[in-house]
Amino acid sequence: QVPNIIKALHKQLKEKSIKSRQGCFSLLTELASVLPGCLADHIPALIPGIVFSLADKSSSSNMRIDTLSFLHVLLCNHQPEVFHPHVKTLLPPIVTCIGDPFYKITSEALLVTQQLVKVIRPLDKPYTFDAKPYVKDLFPGTLKRLKAADIDQEVKERAISCMGQIIHNLGDHLSTDLQPTLKIFLERLKNEITRLTTVKALTLIASSPLKIDLRPILGDGLPILASFLRKNQRALKLSTLNALDILVKNYSDSLKPAMIEAVLTELPVLITENDMHVSQVTIMFLTTLAKVYPSCLSKISGSVLAEIFQLVHSPLLQGGALNAIIDFFQALVLTKTAAVGYPELMKQLTAPVYSSGSAGASLTLHKQAYHSVAKCVAALSSACPKEAPATVNQFVQDVKSPKSSPAVQVLAFLFLAEVGRTTNLSAQRELRTVILEAFASPSEEVKSAASYALGNVSVGNLKEYLPFMLKEIGSQPKRQYLLLHSLKEVISSSPADSLTPYVEDIWALLFKHCECTEEGTRNVVAECLGKLTLVNPAELLPRLRKQLSAGSPHARSTVVTAIKFTITDQPQPIDALLKGCIG
């Protein structure tokens, strides 16, 4: 269809009627958005019409705005090389539009220019196109708008973003113009109205592979950025943290310790459970600092760590923020100048658990906090392999000791689960017995943590643990529910190829239990079946379907529930097969 559409529109793009041309551009804009890349072969046919509508004296402002917004969509949705033969024709009318007295036209033209800069010199792939001759057209028009103080807010912001893109992609061709332009950015940083846009533009410039020389503005710029971390504007805080992160990564040799210290004092306040995302970005920045300037961190490590430990012990911590904390701890313990070493971090992390009272007491922290602490402790011991065996031993002893409170036992099991998933713990001879004994604990939390540990320790050593677990499920009706939960962990966390040898045994065992009268047990069996089907869908899905005709209603309902667990968030090989049998 596309060639026919273009053929029909080609004539109309040169028509005197503005209505017709606006209709054409509106149709083309939709087409380019819906089918990215579909107009690549037709660019030569479209360029004359675009240039005509931009340069034609009789064109209305709306006509120009529509043309520019189509051009922006076109540039965004196609490969740079298809435009290279036409840059010479396209650029002059666009530059003229940047100088247009009507602010809406200027604003659209700056947006198009910003995209065009990425097209004439794409930095993410090899290119043969010579962008140098076009810099003298692009730069002065944008600079004029960047300098103007009395223009519309939208134009100000777009001029800043466009100039940021020009310096990011073409900074090495600007020679003596570069430094005065950066000084203007510094002025725009001080202005409340333009500061957010400027922070984003500076982030872009600092991340340029051309290694733009930012030294002349860093001395004044960093204290200003540091002051933004105190402001109430959330978007400004987040953008500033990103900017600082990139500056520290790419310009560490140009930053003085005094500059960094101005930033450091602002950080502890940003780590709080009231805003997990700001906390996460702050901790990622601290991780960069720990790697690049370990000595600076010692000045604030106390106050930062106090806040981070509070987050670890908070029920709200999960996902990205937790991963950021884990990376930070690993970076911290590997810096040789660490004010706090492995033993100290371990002690602080686990303190609230160990101070949780006697053997009969219930859990003091929220359940989620135990998982967070266990993940952090496991991450620390994987960063310090020399310390790891002693830590594993200590936690095994904690589980065995009758004096340990349920809180300590839960943490110990969760830690063993984290470590056991990636390392073979077969050196711990008594571990299996210890876990099975915990299945008889009076505390539900301890039982559940022991079941989780057994599953994850088995992932690290399938050969030894899985046959044993299957045998126990068959012979221990009392422990069956907990053991099935362990099996679920094994199926969820093991790579498919290492599970393959055991699939038949697990399959047979699960079908023995899918008629169980206990609904909770049937649900776990269903989840195991669904997740196991994902290991080899082509063979196992038809077998699962066959069971739908089983005699017992319990068995049928288990199979239907199992299908629920074969439907996943991410695309999987099973998706095509499911299409054929659902509905």
Side-chain angles (χ1 to χ4, degrees):
Q1 294 268 344
V2 176
N4 297 340
I5 296 174
I6 301 297
K7 200 172 172 187
L9 295 179
H10 184 237
K11 289 195 193 92
Q12 300 189 18
L13 282 174
K14 285 285 189 70
E15 288 216 356
K16 277 278 173 268
S17 157
I18 285 178
K19 277 266 185 311
S20 310
R21 281 185 281 159
Q22 279 182 310
C24 294
F25 282 128
S26 158
L27 174 63
L28 287 166
T29 306
E30 287 301 320
L31 202 59
S33 308
V34 176
L35 282 174
C38 71
L39 299 175
D41 301 338
H42 308 288
I43 302 287
L46 295 171
I47 296 291
I50 294 171
V51 173
F52 173 69
S53 280
L54 288 178
D56 179 28
K57 291 281 176 279
S58 64
S59 282
S60 67
S61 331
N62 284 347
M63 181 71 253
R64 287 202 181 123
I65 292 168
D66 288 354
T67 311
L68 286 165
S69 69
F70 161 63
L71 187 51
H72 181 248
V73 172
L74 190 68
L75 291 168
C76 288
N77 288 318
H78 289 76
Q79 290 302 320
E81 43 279 8
V82 299
F83 299 103
H84 289 165
H86 310 288
V87 172
K88 204 172 178 175
T89 329
L90 268 179
L91 198 56
I94 295 172
V95 172
T96 311
C97 287
I98 295 180
D100 197 277
F102 184 37
Y103 77 93
K104 277 212 154 83
I105 292 180
T106 307
S107 171
E108 281 298 325
L110 285 165
L111 204 56
V112 170
T113 308
Q114 185 174 348
Q115 200 53 41
L116 194 62
V117 170
K118 297 185 206 172
V119 164
I120 62 175
R121 192 178 191 191
L123 293 177
D124 50 355
K125 52 176 169 192
Y127 55 90
T128 49
F129 186 74
D130 180 18
K132 198 168 182 188
Y134 301 103
V135 178
K136 63 180 190 312
D137 296 329
L138 282 166
F139 180 76
T142 310
L143 181 66
K144 191 176 166 195
R145 291 299 180 181
L146 181 68
K147 281 180 170 168
D150 55 347
I151 48 171
D152 181 81
Q153 167 74 15
E154 191 179 318
V155 176
K156 268 186 190 161
E157 291 183 353
R158 292 211 168 148
I160 293 168
S161 305
C162 183
M163 187 55 88
Q165 196 72 56
I166 291 174
I167 298 176
H168 173 86
N169 289 59
L170 304 163
D172 51 349
H173 293 325
L174 295 179
S175 59
T176 53
D177 288 325
L178 179 64
Q179 295 315 328
T181 311
L182 289 173
K183 289 276 193 289
I184 301 173
F185 275 112
L186 201 54
E187 290 311 307
R188 297 290 171 267
L189 255 194
K190 294 172 186 167
N191 182 335
E192 193 176 331
I193 295 172
T194 50
R195 63 191 180 193
L196 178 59
T197 313
T198 311
V199 170
K200 289 178 177 169
L202 284 172
T203 309
L204 185 65
I205 294 169
S207 66
S208 169
L210 305 174
K211 296 273 175 279
I212 308 297
D213 182 10
L214 288 177
R215 277 175 308 197
I217 63 164
L218 286 178
D220 295 335
L222 267 176
I224 300 175
L225 288 173
S227 72
F228 291 167
L229 297 175
R230 256 175 272 148
K231 303 287 183 231
N232 241 348
Q233 197 184 345
R234 187 168 181 269
L236 182 66
K237 274 184 200 165
L238 288 167
S239 298
T240 303
L241 285 165
N242 281 331
L244 289 165
D245 193 57
I246 282 178
L247 284 170
V248 168
K249 278 180 183 150
N250 294 349
Y251 293 87
S252 54
D253 47 355
S254 317
L255 299 176
K256 311 264 185 314
M259 296 182 191
I260 299 289
E261 276 156 32
V263 175
L264 282 177
T265 50
E266 307 295 342
L267 296 177
V269 193
L270 298 178
I271 303 170
T272 151
E273 67 176 11
N274 300 335
D275 192 330
M276 278 297 179
H277 187 56
V278 169
S279 300
Q280 177 182 336
V281 179
T282 307
I283 293 165
M284 285 156 80
F285 174 47
L286 280 163
T287 307
T288 304
L289 285 172
K291 289 173 183 167
V292 181
Y293 294 114
S295 52
C296 285
L297 260 195
S298 53
K299 298 207 165 72
I300 58 152
S301 61
S303 47
V304 161
L305 283 170
E307 300 299 339
I308 290 182
F309 289 132
Q310 274 214 285
L311 271 194
V312 175
H313 301 138
S314 154
L316 303 176
L317 180 68
Q318 56 178 339
L322 175 57
N323 293 336
I325 289 179
I326 288 172
D327 290 344
F328 174 67
F329 281 147
Q330 288 185 319
L332 192 63
V333 85
L334 293 174
T335 62
K336 294 298 167 254
T337 59
V340 271
Y342 181 88
E344 182 56 26
L345 283 173
M346 282 293 194
K347 196 172 135 202
Q348 299 252 28
L349 271 170
T350 56
V353 179
Y354 281 102
S355 62
S356 62
S358 63
S362 62
L363 301 193
T364 41
L365 294 172
H366 186 276
K367 197 168 149 195
Q368 176 60 35
Y370 289 89
H371 283 274
S372 304
V373 173
K375 281 188 158 72
C376 293
V377 173
L380 280 173
S381 60
S382 79
C384 305
K386 284 188 186 136
E387 315 274 359
T391 310
V392 172
N393 273 333
Q394 182 213 324
F395 279 116
V396 172
Q397 296 313 315
D398 280 343
V399 176
K400 278 171 60 183
S401 159
K403 290 188 186 137
S404 295
S405 67
V408 170
Q409 290 184 310
V410 167
L411 177 63
F413 278 132
L414 293 178
F415 165 78
L416 292 166
E418 290 299 327
V419 175
R421 197 179 310 134
T422 48
T423 15
N424 184 339
L425 290 181
S426 52
Q428 295 291 336
R429 285 279 150 235
E430 48 199 358
L431 188 56
R432 201 188 296 181
T433 330
V434 168
I435 292 176
L436 288 179
E437 278 169 6
F439 280 6
S441 161
S443 157
E444 286 301 322
E445 281 90 356
V446 171
K447 284 199 272 204
S448 156
S451 152
Y452 181 72
L454 178 60
N456 283 287
V457 169
S458 306
V459 173
N461 185 0
L462 282 176
K463 201 163 75 184
E464 193 176 312
Y465 272 87
L466 192 58
F468 155 75
M469 192 192 294
L470 297 177
K471 193 173 114 224
E472 287 284 310
I473 293 174
S475 62
Q476 299 284 345
K478 272 192 176 160
R479 296 178 182 161
Q480 202 175 61
Y481 180 68
L482 290 166
L483 287 161
L484 283 167
H485 267 288
S486 306
L487 181 60
K488 180 187 79 182
E489 288 299 325
V490 174
I491 297 170
S492 307
S493 305
S494 301
D497 48 354
S498 56
L499 262 185
T500 308
Y502 307 101
V503 168
E504 286 306 320
D505 295 347
I506 301 175
W507 189 264
L509 179 92
L510 289 171
F511 271 107
K512 259 190 205 148
H513 293 290
C514 69
E515 296 181 22
C516 175
T517 49
E518 177 58 52
E519 188 185 354
T521 307
R522 285 204 309 275
N523 283 340
V524 189
V525 170
E527 190 168 343
C528 291
L529 273 174
K531 291 184 169 170
L532 189 62
T533 304
L534 294 173
V535 174
N536 181 359
E539 193 183 315
L540 297 178
L541 191 62
R543 283 167 66 179
L544 196 58
R545 272 183 81 177
K546 219 185 237 160
Q547 296 294 331
L548 280 173
S549 52
S552 128
H554 279 338
R556 291 202 300 272
S557 84
T558 306
V559 172
V560 172
T561 313
I563 292 292
K564 183 172 87 179
F565 294 102
T566 62
I567 301 167
T568 50
D569 302 339
Q570 262 53 49
Q572 288 268 8
I574 195 170
D575 295 348
L577 302 165
L578 278 174
K579 262 187 200 159
C581 58
I582 289 185

